[in-house]
């Protein structure tokens, strides 16, 4: 099991504010980095799969960056809305195709 | 709707019971997975099936027994479980296998072992 750390564990954001949080992973044997959004009582849903150092992905108000050399990825939420409330999971895929998940960052957007 | 259906959504069982969790995917994927989520812990991979063949068994106790009769269905047979096995069990599928292929998850089965 590889060490994938997400911080903070939880955060509260005022509606309309922007926020970001981190996923740290091993800087060796990198193959891909996944981000998933997991809303309460629903299934985890894939947001991004990132493979290249310097990659930036965007989906609506959510974006992610990737630094494979130093082993971190940031997820940004711009202008948070209540529907952004969820747990955001990152998963590191090593080059033997094994996926290791972080414990998640739980975001609560206050109206 | 993710295309991956799990039943039941909730299950309460005694330590001497035998039960099965069912997963079905309607996405035409060729890989299926069982994950376990215990409280406050990361998702933990249990089993992987590629093309109906088990390719990963992550040191899971034998009281958990997977079955993959075809590429669309996956079962997890449970027997003589322990209270510490209480957790959320998630099924997922993907095309080809792990890598840059994203996972599609079911809604999970919340299992309580008394």
């Amino acid at each position: 099991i590889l060490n994938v750390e997400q911080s903070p564990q939880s955060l509260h954001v005022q509606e309309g504010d922007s926020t970001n949080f981190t996923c740290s992973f091993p800087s060796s044997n990198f193959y891909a980095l996944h981000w998933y959004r997991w809303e309460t009582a629903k299934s985890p849903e894939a947001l991004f799969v990132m493979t290249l150092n310097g990659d930036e992905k965007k989906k609506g108000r959510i974006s992610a960056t990737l630094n494979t050399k130093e082993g971190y990825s940031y997820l940004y939420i711009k202008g948070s809305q209540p529907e952004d409330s969820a747990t955001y999971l990152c998963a590191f895929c090593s080059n033997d195709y094994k996926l290791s998940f972080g414990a998640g960052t739980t975001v609560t957007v206050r109206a | 709707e993710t295309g991956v259906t799990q039943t039941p959504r909730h299950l309460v069982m005694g330590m001497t019971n035998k039960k099965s969790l069912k997963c079905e995917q309607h996405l035409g994927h060729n890989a299926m997975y069982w994950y376990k989520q215990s409280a406050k812990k990361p998702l933990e991979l249990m089993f992987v099936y590629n093309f109906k063949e088990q390719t990963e068994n992550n040191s899971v106790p034998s009281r958990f027994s997977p079955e993959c009769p075809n590429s669309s269905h996956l079962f997890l047979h449970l027997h003589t479980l322990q209270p510490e096995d209480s957790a959320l069990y998630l099924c997922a599928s993907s095309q080809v296998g792990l890598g840059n292929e994203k996972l599609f998850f079911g809604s999970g089965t919340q299992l309580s072992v008394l």
Side-chain angles (χ1 to χ4, degrees):
Chain A
I1 298 177
L2 298 174
N3 197 25
V4 181
E5 301 279 346
Q6 289 188 249
S7 63
Q9 187 175 20
S10 63
L11 61 91
H12 291 80
V13 189
Q14 198 66 33
E15 182 177 359
D17 287 352
S18 296
T19 188
N20 65 83
F21 39 92
T22 310
C23 173
S24 301
F25 51 86
S27 55
S28 58
N29 300 320
F30 176 87
Y31 187 83
L33 194 282
H34 297 215
W35 280 103
Y36 292 85
R37 175 169 58 199
W38 193 357
E39 296 177 66
T40 303
K42 293 189 178 180
S43 315
E45 174 194 1
L47 287 172
F48 308 115
V49 178
M50 309 172 79
T51 56
L52 298 175
N53 184 42
D55 233 358
E56 290 189 26
K57 299 267 187 178
K58 188 174 180 182
K59 185 176 182 178
R61 294 177 291 97
I62 300 177
S63 60
T65 60
L66 179 67
N67 184 324
T68 60
K69 294 186 190 303
E70 296 181 43
Y72 64 84
S73 175
Y74 290 123
L75 193 86
Y76 299 88
I77 305 176
K78 184 178 177 182
S80 304
Q81 299 298 307
E83 60 264 29
D84 297 326
S85 296
T87 296
Y88 292 82
L89 302 174
C90 72
F92 167 77
C93 186
S94 54
N95 53 19
D96 59 355
Y97 309 131
K98 293 188 189 296
L99 203 63
S100 299
F101 279 85
T105 293
T106 299
V107 175
T108 304
V109 181
R110 296 179 290 215
Chain B
E1 180 60 51
T2 64
V4 180
T5 305
Q6 281 188 249
T7 54
R9 291 293 299 268
H10 302 273
L11 179 63
V12 179
M13 59 187 290
M15 289 191 282
T16 58
N17 292 157
K18 290 184 181 181
K19 297 286 184 184
S20 296
L21 310 185
K22 180 182 176 182
C23 178
E24 183 175 1
Q25 59 98 358
H26 311 276
L27 301 168
H29 290 164
N30 53 23
M32 296 187 76
Y33 314 83
W34 281 116
Y35 280 89
K36 174 184 178 182
Q37 170 139 64
S38 305
K40 308 284 186 187
K41 290 186 178 179
L43 279 173
E44 179 186 340
L45 180 65
M46 299 175 73
F47 300 105
V48 181
Y49 279 83
N50 280 342
F51 297 95
K52 302 186 296 176
E53 299 295 321
Q54 189 182 125
T55 59
E56 184 92 26
N57 175 336
N58 221 16
S59 302
V60 180
S62 59
R63 57 187 185 267
F64 295 91
S65 174
E67 179 190 0
C68 188
N70 54 61
S71 57
S72 299
H73 293 84
L74 185 64
F75 295 90
L76 189 62
H77 303 300
L78 316 171
H79 62 98
T80 58
L81 293 192
Q82 305 299 309
E84 60 265 28
D85 297 321
S86 298
L88 179 70
Y89 290 84
L90 283 166
C91 173
S93 70
S94 71
Q95 183 59 24
V96 180
L98 293 176
N100 60 3
E101 302 87 7
K102 57 187 178 183
L103 299 177
F104 290 77
F105 285 91
S107 299
T109 295
Q110 187 66 54
L111 174 67
S112 297
V113 182
L114 303 179

